Amino acid sequence: MLPTLRPGQVIIGLPYNDRPRVGEIVIIRHGGLEKIKRISRISDDRLYVVGDNQTHSTDSRSFG
């Protein structure tokens, strides 16, 4: 998530009760890991997410 978030920065995730919006940062659990991503698109009941560092980041195409 560089340049938005830096290594060693403390991140606090809060439960989300509203409908997510494009551009918001979310924490996703996948494959036993937590990943911090930005919502790029919402379609039906699916969120499409990307990392802010496009050259060194994975997005929802990589992990479903």
Side-chain angles (χ1 to χ4, degrees):
M1 288 295 295
L2 281 170
T4 305
L5 304 174
R6 304 242 178 250
Q9 187 173 355
V10 176
I11 305 299
I12 298 172
L14 300 173
Y16 202 84
N17 296 324
D18 291 333
R19 186 175 183 99
R21 291 181 228 140
V22 171
E24 292 183 324
I25 295 174
V26 294
I27 300 172
I28 306 166
R29 284 195 188 109
H30 179 263
L33 299 172
E34 292 177 337
K35 300 177 181 190
I36 300 173
K37 301 292 177 182
R38 186 177 301 277
I39 299 172
S40 65
R41 186 173 59 146
I42 301 171
S43 177
D44 300 320
D45 289 334
R46 294 177 184 245
L47 294 179
Y48 296 85
V49 296
V50 295
D52 284 358
N53 187 343
Q54 298 292 324
T55 58
H56 293 94
S57 178
T58 57
D59 60 34
S60 53
R61 293 174 297 172
S62 301
F63 50 82

